[in-house]
């Protein structure tokens, strides 16, 4: 989990190093403030856009992070519909926050997903879980 969390006062260079280490996976960092609460998200695209607008590699990530982010709050932690809606929006990682806004865990929504109901050979419907990398099933990805 820690490899996806960065403090808001860390430099953009540090963020690029962390994002590079995530290469091949979901390249999203969750930004936390000095009090440990989640304050934003950061992707390589956020850093790239910031640099194009004049940000320096020594600037803190707080200058270019996305302050409008999705997270599971305590009231929705077991709300399957909330998770499905987030997945449909193309979000691949979602933090679950405590009542104060601190990250409790990061859920990987690409690990598995339900496929459409399949017909059982004897006419009964059955549901199966398909690995996200299964080339025979499509998925929404960010």
């Amino acid at each position: 989990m820690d490899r996806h969390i960065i403090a808001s006062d860390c430099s953009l260079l540090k963020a690029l190093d962390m994002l590079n280490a995530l290469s091949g996976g979901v390249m999203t960092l969750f930004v936390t403030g000095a009090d440990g609460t989640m304050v934003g998200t950061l992707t390589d695209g956020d850093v790239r856009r910031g640099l194009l607008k004049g940000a320096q590699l020594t600037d803190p990530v707080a200058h270019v992070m996305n302050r409008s982010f999705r997270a599971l709050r305590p009231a929705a932690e077991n709300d399957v519909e909330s998770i499905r809606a987030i997945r449909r929006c193309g979000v691949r990682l979602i933090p679950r926050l405590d009542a104060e806004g601190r990250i409790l865990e990061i859920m990987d929504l690409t690990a598995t997903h339900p496929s459409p109901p399949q017909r059982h050979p004897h006419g009964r419907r059955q549901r199966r879980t398909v690995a996200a990398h299964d080339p025979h099933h499509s998925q929404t990805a960010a």
Side-chain angles (χ1 to χ4, degrees):
M1 179 169 91
D2 288 344
R3 64 192 206 119
H4 283 278
I5 299 175
I6 189 168
S8 61
D9 59 353
C10 284
S11 71
L12 292 177
L13 184 60
K14 171 69 174 169
L16 284 173
D17 185 48
M18 289 179 71
L19 287 165
N20 191 55
L22 296 172
S23 185
V26 180
M27 295 177 58
T28 300
L29 297 175
F30 299 102
V31 185
T32 57
D35 61 356
T37 60
M38 186 171 164
V39 294
T41 60
L42 188 76
T43 65
D44 60 330
D46 296 323
V47 175
R48 190 172 47 251
R49 285 183 291 278
L51 292 172
L52 289 171
K53 290 180 180 177
Q56 302 297 310
L57 289 174
T58 54
D59 288 346
V61 298
H63 289 178
V64 301
M65 71 182 182
N66 179 2
R67 295 175 191 277
S68 176
F69 59 88
R70 295 177 191 269
L72 292 177
R73 312 285 176 182
E77 72 180 291
N78 293 319
D79 184 354
V80 174
E81 284 308 312
S82 293
I83 294 171
R84 285 182 182 151
I86 290 167
R87 183 183 282 153
R88 281 192 298 270
C89 291
V91 174
R92 297 174 1 169
L93 289 180
I94 188 77
R96 188 170 65 86
L97 308 180
D98 67 13
E100 286 78 38
R102 292 183 299 262
I103 300 172
L104 295 173
E105 71 175 316
I106 298 171
M107 297 173 63
D108 183 349
L109 302 182
T110 65
T112 61
H113 68 281
S115 67
Q118 303 293 315
R119 281 279 183 209
H120 188 274
H122 301 290
R124 294 182 303 243
R125 291 174 61 156
Q126 63 185 17
R127 188 175 275 291
R128 63 186 179 111
T129 301
V130 178
H133 64 278
D134 188 336
H136 303 292
H137 292 84
S138 64
Q139 73 177 32
T140 305

